[in-house]
Amino acid sequence: QKEVEQDPGPLSVPEGAIVSLNCTYSNSAFQYFMWYRQYSRKGPELLMYTYSSGNKEDGRFTAQVDKSSKYISLFIRDSQPSDSATYLCAMKYSSYKLIFGSGTRLLVRP
Amino acid sequence: NAGVMQNPRHLVRRRGQEARLRCSPMKGHSHVYWYRQLPEEGLKFMVYLQKENIIDESGMPKERFSAEFPKEGPSILRIQQVVRGDSAAYFCATAPGNTGNTIYFGEGSWLTVV
């Protein structure tokens, strides 16, 4: 079993839709949770970082962590074609090593 | 991603040749991570270095792969005697400290072995 599971998609939604991206994990020692966005042939870009259960909002993005269920989500409101990318969840213990999910490919149709 | 410089961005090597990938950290960053991304897969940790020290190389293949981060100059990921399975995107990420929760990725180096 992988430490971090993420549905690869692709997920196709119309412009303006609310997008929900999810990851599950098996190791309860994970304390820090991040979401990265990666455009094709580009490096990952940090979108959201959180370390506690609950919600964190930044503009159109909301990150949600449920440690009891070992489940994290990223919500994108009013999705735009420019949001079309691969979204990677990442998490770590108290140390340095980030463990990534395999990524979900998102396509927002105009 | 601005500030973490990787080169070359694209590299083609024949089987058996050597590949050298370079990473210059963001200003003020002294911690470097290398990750590998195979097609349709997430990023896999390879190695973590500080200046002149390898801290964790648990994700690095035991043979043919090596990494360094000298006192002066960029970090280097070296792959000797490349094989087709080494074809991947190699990403460098840097951070100001080892417990920093924000690490910044470069744009990657795409290695193709023919």
Side-chain angles (χ1 to χ4, degrees):
Chain A
Q1 183 189 8
K2 290 182 180 178
E3 280 191 287
V4 181
E5 297 276 2
Q6 186 174 8
D7 188 329
L11 179 62
S12 181
V13 301
E15 183 175 354
I18 296 175
V19 176
S20 172
L21 304 164
N22 311 295
C23 285
T24 59
Y25 61 96
S26 56
N27 193 333
S28 57
F30 284 130
Q31 297 181 29
Y32 304 97
F33 305 90
M34 287 141 238
W35 285 95
Y36 284 82
R37 177 175 63 195
Q38 186 177 23
Y39 292 111
S40 180
R41 308 291 283 186
K42 296 288 188 181
E45 173 191 2
L46 180 66
L47 284 177
M48 299 287 284
Y49 147 71
T50 184
Y51 60 88
S52 58
S53 282
N55 293 353
K56 181 177 180 179
E57 194 172 313
D58 184 0
R60 296 186 295 113
F61 298 93
T62 299
Q64 187 176 79
V65 174
D66 182 346
K67 288 187 177 181
S68 62
S69 301
K70 299 191 185 71
Y71 189 88
I72 69 171
S73 299
L74 178 70
F75 299 97
I76 308 174
R77 289 183 298 281
D78 187 26
S79 56
Q80 303 295 309
S82 58
D83 295 326
S84 297
T86 296
Y87 290 80
L88 300 156
C89 64
M91 49 197 77
K92 65 175 184 173
Y93 322 115
S94 58
S95 63
Y96 48 82
K97 191 185 299 184
L98 274 179
I99 309 297
F100 282 86
S102 56
T104 299
R105 197 151 50 96
L106 171 67
L107 174 63
V108 180
R109 308 186 305 272
Chain B
N1 294 340
V4 181
M5 304 301 294
Q6 287 190 249
N7 67 83
R9 292 293 318 281
H10 303 277
L11 183 63
V12 179
R13 284 288 178 264
R14 296 185 184 279
R15 281 176 293 171
Q17 290 185 319
E18 178 180 289
R20 281 191 180 223
L21 310 177
R22 288 175 290 278
C23 170
S24 296
M26 284 181 72
K27 188 175 181 181
H29 287 194
S30 58
H31 297 253
V32 171
Y33 309 79
W34 285 94
Y35 281 80
R36 177 164 66 174
Q37 187 174 39
L38 294 169
E40 308 302 322
E41 291 189 19
L43 292 101
K44 305 293 185 195
F45 169 82
M46 298 182 74
V47 62
Y48 164 47
L49 310 103
Q50 296 176 25
K51 282 285 186 182
E52 299 185 278
N53 287 303
I54 297 174
I55 307 302
D56 182 345
E57 56 182 350
S58 59
M60 197 100 95
K62 294 289 185 283
E63 297 177 353
R64 303 187 297 107
F65 284 73
S66 62
E68 63 176 8
F69 189 16
K71 188 176 180 181
E72 301 290 338
S75 175
I76 306 283
L77 179 67
R78 182 183 178 203
I79 311 171
Q80 295 177 291
Q81 300 175 328
V82 297
V83 301
R84 288 237 171 98
D86 297 332
S87 296
Y90 292 84
F91 290 96
C92 166
T94 74
N98 63 338
T99 58
N101 292 312
T102 302
I103 70 171
Y104 297 89
F105 282 84
E107 293 286 69
S109 291
W110 266 259
L111 171 66
T112 302
V113 180
V114 297

